[in-house]
Structure formats: structure tokens, C-alpha cells
């Protein structure tokens, strides 16, 4: 019997993901990846100066570094990348399923951040840092129309990518529904909402909460808005100005803390 097209497409996507590699760059991102036993490491390219600055992280990782001339750096990076003389080819991290992460042991009550079409890797990297600081279980984005795991994202995350789960899902509305079925209160950030985050979690701070952030400009898509339990805003001191999505995520996580 011939396999359905959707099954074939899923298997092809899985094979592509298995073969995919990422080049991390920058001393901080490379050091944290070298020290992460869960990260599959393939190739390390460094200048002599960077090798000294990475210290014991290189020999402890078991990697054999390739020493490169800083003027002709051997790693295949964008020329504009600020690599600081260190680049590491790795496989993407596997954090498991949304359910695995949402229900795993961790700070209680749990918090999760979902991103609706946030494509800027610098914003996502900054959100991962905030998520780690405030003890979120994960940052969840779409497989398409979202920032992939890249060197630029990892550098902005400043090490958080090695510790903070970054999951990609096929359908954000389905992920929201799945979280709701697990008992999460799902709040969508909308600058025009009547309800503030503090009011939405008043008396419910002991519940699991997921915060959904939209892209700057378009905000949340209609389907996302309809699926959330409530739309909330960050209470501002004035009627003008706005936060970018990474700053809004940090403020929202603080406002919704348990």
C-alpha cells in the first residue's frame, strides 16, 4: 500500500532535520555548547587566541580543534558574523515533545512562552535569555515563519540556547489547545486588550500559564487570538510608545510570575 503524501512529507522532513547542522560562533556561545553534554558537536574551528580564551572547555569536550588564521577564518560563516575567532558545528538540540517539556519537573508553577511568527533571531535569542532568567519551561515557536536555531540566535541568547528548551511546532493553535488540555491558562499579548496581565492572573498565580507573543507590527494572528483563553496587555504609564517583542516577553514573564 502506498504511503499517504503527508506521511512521506513528514518522513522527508525528519531526514532533513537529522542531517541538519548549525554553526555556532562567538566565545560565549561556543564555550557553553562545548560544556553541554547533550549537544552533538562535530567540528571546532578556532584561532590560537580564541583557543586560549576558551580554556579548559576545549580539552574537556574531547574536541580536536582546527587552528585557523584569523584573516582567513576557515568556518563557513557570514562575513559579517562577529565570531571572535571561535566557531563550532553542531546538531540541533532535541528537547522532546511539548508535553515532555510542559509537564517536566521544574520551577512551580510553570510558565511557557509561545511565539507567533517572531522571525528575528536576535529577538528570539533575547527572549530565550529572559525565559531562562524567569524560570520558564520553554520557548515555543512555529516550524515555519519563525527564527530557526542559528549561530546569530545562539550568540544573542548568550548561552541560554544550551539550557532553555526552544521547541518548534507545526501548528501554534494546536499547541495552545494541547497546553490548555494540560491545564495551562493561555494568555495572548495584545496592546489593545482591556485586561492587564496582573488582572488576568490575579488569584490564579498558582496555575500553569503560557504567554503568547506576536510579531512586532502584525501582532497575533486571528486564529491565535481566538484560541487563547484571554487577551491581555502590559500596563503602561502613558498612552504612547510600545515595547519590542523581546522586552515585552521579559515584562510579561515578570508580571505573570508565580
Amino acid at each position: 500500500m502506498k504511503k499517504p503524501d503527508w506521511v512521506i512529507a513528514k518522513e522527508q522532513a525528519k531526514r532533513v532535520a537529522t542531517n541538519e547542522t548549525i554553526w555556532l560562533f562567538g566565545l560565549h556561545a561556543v564555550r557553553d555548547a562545548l560544556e553541554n553534554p547533550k549537544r552533538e558537536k562535530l567540528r571546532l574551528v578556532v584561532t590560537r587566541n580564541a583557543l586560549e580564551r576558551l580554556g579548559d572547555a576545549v580539552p574537556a569536550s574531547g574536541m580536536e580543534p582546527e587552528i585557523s588564521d584569523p584573516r582567513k577564518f576557515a568556518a563557513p560563516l557570514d562575513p559579517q558574523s562577529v565570531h571572535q575567532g571561535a566557531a563550532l558545528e553542531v546538531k540541533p538540540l532535541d528537547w522532546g515533545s511539548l508535553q515532555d517539556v510542559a509537564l517536566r519537573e521544574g520551577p512551580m508553577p510553570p510558565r511557557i512562552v509561545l511565539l507567533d511568527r517572531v522571525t528575528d533571531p536576535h529577538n528570539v535569542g533575547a527572549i530565550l535569555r529572559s525565559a531562562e532568567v524567569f524560570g520558564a519551561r520553554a520557548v515555543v515557536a512555529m516550524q515555519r515563519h519563525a527564527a530557526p536555531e542559528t549561530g546569530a540566535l545562539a550568540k544573542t541568547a548568550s548561552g541560554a540556547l544550551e539550557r532553555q528548551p526552544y521547541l518548534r511546532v507545526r501548528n501554534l493553535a494546536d499547541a495552545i489547545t494541547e497546553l490548555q488540555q494540560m491545564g495551562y491558562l493561555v494568555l495572548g499579548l495584545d496592546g489593545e486588550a482591556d485586561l492587564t496581565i496582573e488582572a488576568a492572573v490575579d488569584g490564579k498565580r498558582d496555575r500553569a500559564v503560557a504567554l503568547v507573543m506576536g510579531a512586532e507590527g502584525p501582532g497575533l494572528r486571528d486564529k491565535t487570538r481566538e484560541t487563547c483563553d484571554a487577551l491581555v496587555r502590559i500596563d503602561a504609564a502613558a498612552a504612547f510608545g510600545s515595547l519590542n517583542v523581546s522586552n515585552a516577553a521579559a515584562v510579561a514573564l515578570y508580571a505573570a510570575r508565580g
Side-chain angles (χ1 to χ4, degrees):
M1 180 182 295
K2 183 181 178 181
K3 294 181 180 178
D5 290 344
W6 70 269
V7 172
I8 295 173
K10 186 175 182 180
E11 290 176 348
Q12 290 173 339
K14 187 174 182 180
R15 285 194 294 271
V16 170
T18 300
N19 295 325
E20 181 183 2
T21 66
I22 304 159
W23 277 96
L24 305 179
F25 57 85
L27 290 169
H28 200 158
V30 169
R31 180 184 292 108
D32 281 357
L34 287 171
E35 293 175 345
N36 183 1
K38 295 181 180 179
R39 177 71 85 171
E40 186 177 349
K41 299 168 273 285
L42 304 174
R43 183 183 172 198
L44 175 63
V45 179
V46 291
T47 62
R48 293 194 180 280
N49 180 56
L51 183 61
E52 290 182 9
R53 295 177 68 184
L54 287 170
D56 294 337
V58 176
S61 72
M63 294 290 294
E64 186 66 35
E66 299 177 28
I67 306 301
S68 180
D69 186 327
R71 294 166 296 182
K72 297 180 180 179
F73 197 60
L77 304 176
D78 185 297
Q80 304 303 316
S81 300
V82 184
H83 54 72
Q84 300 174 293
L88 178 65
E89 186 182 15
V90 298
K91 289 286 187 73
L93 286 166
D94 181 6
W95 293 102
S97 68
L98 178 59
Q99 180 173 328
D100 291 338
V101 172
L103 299 180
R104 70 177 171 83
E105 292 185 7
M108 294 296 291
R111 300 291 184 260
I112 284 179
V113 177
L114 296 100
L115 305 179
D116 189 1
R117 297 186 303 176
V118 178
T119 59
D120 186 334
H122 299 95
N123 276 332
V124 176
I127 290 169
L128 284 165
R129 291 183 70 179
S130 296
E132 182 180 29
V133 168
F134 292 109
R137 295 289 173 87
V139 175
V140 180
M142 302 162 63
Q143 287 180 354
R144 299 179 63 186
H145 309 297
E149 188 176 336
T150 62
L153 187 153
K155 195 170 193 301
T156 307
S158 193
L161 183 62
E162 302 303 319
R163 299 177 293 272
Q164 179 65 41
Y166 181 46
L167 274 63
R168 309 285 293 284
V169 297
R170 292 184 64 187
N171 186 292
L172 198 67
D174 288 348
I176 291 172
T177 300
E178 186 178 351
L179 287 171
Q180 290 166 332
Q181 292 170 347
M182 287 186 268
Y184 275 75
L185 174 67
V186 182
L187 305 176
L189 272 287
D190 183 341
E192 302 299 318
D194 295 328
L195 196 64
T196 65
I197 297 174
E198 290 85 353
V201 299
D202 186 34
K204 303 174 186 176
R205 290 185 181 272
D206 59 339
R207 283 191 60 180
V209 174
L211 299 163
V212 191
M213 319 292 301
E216 293 175 37
L220 300 175
R221 290 172 299 159
D222 290 343
K223 180 64 173 178
T224 305
R225 293 163 60 91
E226 293 165 4
T227 312
C228 292
D229 292 308
L231 298 178
V232 296
R233 72 174 193 275
I234 293 172
D235 207 11
F240 60 90
S242 62
L243 296 171
N244 75 11
V245 66
S246 60
N247 288 333
V251 174
L253 281 166
Y254 182 77
R257 66 196 184 283

